[in-house]
Amino acid sequence: MTLFGTDGVRGLANGPLTADLALTLAQATAVVLGQGRIANARKAAGRRLTAVVARDPRISGHFLAAAVSAGLASSGVDVLDAGVLPTPAAAFLVGDVDADFGVMISASHNPAADNGIKIFARGGVKLPDEVERRIEEAMAGPKLLPTGGAVGRIRRFADAEDRYVVHLLASLRQRLHGIHIVLDCANGAASGVSPETFRDAGAKVTVIGADPDGLNINDGIGSTHLDVLQAEVVRVGADLGIAHDGDADRCLAVDADGRIIDGDQIMAILAVSMKNRGLLRDDTLVATVMSNLGLHRAMAAYGISVETTGVGDRYVLERMNAGRYSLGGEQSGHVIMSEFATTGDGVLTGLHLAAEMARTGKSLAELASVMTVFPQVLINVKGVERSRATDDDVLAAVAEAEAELGDSGRVLLRPSGTEALVRVMVEAATEEDARAVAERLAEVVRG
């Protein structure tokens, strides 16, 4: 069984994800990431390697972070314990202090009972599949286990949050004076740092979902439950709302009238702004196959190319790095601004979205009008094998549907990577057309 998924190791805490597993995974990480030219040079100079460890506020993060730190220190790695911080903060800090790698304990938008372990290599970048495979193999092999003074130390990373906030504020070229924002922190990792940063940037801030107790993370609030934010924005008369998920690597928004502005629309706003200011490298945006057809249409209208990847911000980042592109992301709100971050950063994205409002004097609804969202219907067909998506009768039905939709829609069949399930996604000019085509294709997939 493969341990790593599309975004690290994730599962029920004290179910498959135990303290023993976390410790062993950390020891294997030290073995694999403790190699290489820079790491070997540091060790040859008598220096111990260093790792940044952070977590979100769910209760299992305490014992999992302790286990990870113990595994690293027992392998001769010095640990900088950054405490509760967003995932993108952990990634930033790895590069900022020139650490050898970093570990984030979080299950992102999952319920509180779950947790996860994300590993960042030098520079704060996510690991390629091959390195994850080597770490899995190393879990069954010999550990480093130095003795005496060669074991690692664990110390508090006292200024971790301050470093991250300073970094975020330095990315802005526009203060947020006159902008009233409702922040929904999902009772997660951004509950402290996000309100502080937006206030320091000059915004008026109303905060919800910023009282984590270890159990209420993502519970009816945050980027997966936007109804609370929508109501609060309208109630207080704010200019916009920003929603994070549990580890704050996502940003979704709500305009002044309570309408949802998703990741595709946020990318469209930022891409057009960056192109107009000469900041969008090669006038190219990177998005996934799940991004709305309306995004592609809007970008074409503004002379912006769209490069498409598989689902997952790691694949977006790989394409961005290959082309040295400056903006990419997902409909779910993972937005990567490569000038400032190596991963999706919900606080950074929200700051730059609000800054565009301040810079132009336009409302969020006006800015979002650069893109017309095509109705999208997604049906999960359960109990079928992944290979069903490429069977002849299914491919014939897809071809027929695509011919029927023409330029006014599209079809995407995507097998699940973790279960017997095929996702049928259809976009069309109307929701009725999209649903009719999606339901017809779902019946074909069911056989």
Side-chain angles (χ1 to χ4, degrees), residues 20-187:
D20 285 344
L21 186 146
L23 186 144
T24 304
L25 179 62
Q27 291 176 319
T29 299
V31 170
V32 174
L33 297 187
Q35 302 171 0
R37 179 179 57 82
I38 296 177
N40 289 335
R42 288 182 174 179
K43 288 186 288 188
R47 296 172 55 188
R48 286 185 298 274
L49 303 185
T50 303
V52 174
V53 175
R55 60 182 177 86
D56 72 23
R58 65 190 77 211
I59 54 174
S60 59
H62 291 277
F63 78 76
L64 289 171
V68 165
S69 296
L72 294 175
S74 72
S75 302
V77 177
D78 284 347
V79 175
L80 294 173
D81 179 3
V84 174
L85 279 178
T87 290
F92 162 73
L93 290 167
V94 171
D96 192 48
V97 301
D98 194 26
D100 296 281
F101 50 92
V103 182
M104 177 70 191
I105 312 298
S106 175
S108 190
H109 58 281
N110 284 29
D114 291 343
N115 217 321
I117 301 174
K118 305 179 185 182
I119 302 170
F120 295 98
R122 182 182 303 280
V125 298
K126 291 188 175 181
L127 303 182
D129 293 342
E130 169 59 21
V131 175
E132 289 182 342
R133 183 189 63 77
R134 288 167 51 203
I135 290 174
E136 285 191 41
E137 292 175 350
M139 291 176 70
K143 308 303 184 287
L144 297 176
L145 301 180
T147 59
V151 301
R153 281 73 164 161
I154 302 173
R155 65 182 186 272
R156 183 81 175 99
F157 194 162
D159 63 341
E161 182 173 311
D162 291 342
R163 284 174 176 262
Y164 179 54
V165 171
V166 168
H167 158 69
L168 292 171
L169 294 174
S171 76
L172 289 177
R173 304 181 184 186
Q174 174 72 47
R175 299 284 291 169
L176 306 186
H177 295 306
I179 304 291
H180 183 186
I181 302 172
V182 178
L183 288 178
D184 181 349
C185 299
N187 291 317

Side-chain angles (χ1 to χ4, degrees), residues 289-290 311 378 402 410-414 423-426:
V289 293
M290 293 299 290
V311 175
L378 177 66
E402 289 175 334
R410 69 179 181 125
V411 175
L412 176 67
L413 261 64
R414 180 170 158 258
R423 295 181 173 87
V424 178
M425 191 274 284
V426 176

